[in-house]
Amino acid sequence: MNKKVLAILSIIVISLLTISAAPAKTYANSGYMERFNKLKKKCNKKFKYNGPQQEMNHESLEEFKLWDKELNYVYNDIYGKLNQEDQKELKKSELAWIKKRDKKAAEKSSEFEGGTMYPLVYNDILIKLTKKRIKWLIKNY
């Protein structure tokens, strides 16, 4: 074999070994998405949003609490598996995201402020953003 072919083969073998030796991301074997989908099913069954406004406002708050609890579970589990530098980065990212989430929810629901639908709209936005954040954490950690 000539030296160029041997060098190329060496690079390919080393690349393959590096890829297969790399630790799998938490996402690949964590069961986070399974938990996510289970909670989604539970919420779809439990919260119908077809009653009086006050009841729907209450349901939206209860649903948000469930999704927030799931977010905290995923965050804490991932956080515990990280080194100190990555923990610091994740914490900074999470705190910034919370501020952004709350600001976005307030802005998007502001036209309903003072009305009976405000809590429902506000909580619905929080729910959607929280679900997105959970998926983001799963995908990126």
Side-chain angles (χ1 to χ4, degrees):
M1 262 188 202
N2 74 32
K3 289 182 181 180
K4 285 184 181 179
V5 172
L6 190 56
I8 292 171
L9 286 174
S10 297
I11 292 170
I12 292 170
V13 169
I14 290 170
S15 296
L16 290 173
L17 289 173
T18 305
I19 291 169
S20 65
K25 283 205 168 209
T26 309
Y27 174 70
N29 54 17
S30 66
Y32 293 136
M33 278 310 294
E34 189 176 320
R35 285 178 56 98
F36 182 94
N37 290 328
K38 232 181 194 177
L39 180 57
K40 186 176 175 184
K41 240 182 183 176
K42 177 182 176 180
C43 288
N44 287 340
K45 279 184 179 181
K46 184 174 181 175
F47 304 113
K48 298 299 180 194
Y49 296 103
N50 61 0
Q53 188 63 52
Q54 189 174 5
E55 187 180 304
M56 292 190 296
N57 292 347
H58 179 72
E59 284 183 351
S60 67
L61 178 60
E62 291 305 308
E63 183 174 2
F64 169 67
K65 286 178 183 179
L66 290 174
W67 285 109
D68 190 52
K69 184 177 177 181
E70 184 64 14
L71 172 64
N72 287 317
Y73 170 82
V74 172
Y75 171 85
N76 287 322
D77 195 58
I78 290 170
Y79 184 87
K81 294 175 183 175
L82 300 175
N83 63 42
Q84 282 186 334
E85 186 178 316
D86 290 340
Q87 284 180 339
K88 191 175 181 179
E89 183 183 313
L90 178 59
K91 185 175 183 178
K92 183 179 175 183
S93 167
E94 193 70 5
L95 292 173
W97 174 81
I98 290 168
K99 285 181 184 177
K100 186 177 173 182
R101 175 202 65 191
D102 293 348
K103 183 179 178 183
K104 196 177 228 180
E107 287 172 358
K108 287 189 169 196
S109 62
S110 64
E111 69 182 273
F112 298 95
E113 197 164 352
T116 58
M117 280 184 58
Y118 177 76
L120 175 65
V121 174
Y122 182 79
N123 292 329
D124 184 58
I125 295 164
L126 291 178
I127 291 165
K128 288 176 180 163
L129 294 173
T130 302
K131 287 179 179 180
K132 282 175 112 172
R133 181 63 176 185
I134 293 168
K135 287 182 178 179
W136 183 89
L137 285 170
I138 293 169
K139 182 181 176 190
N140 291 286
Y141 289 90

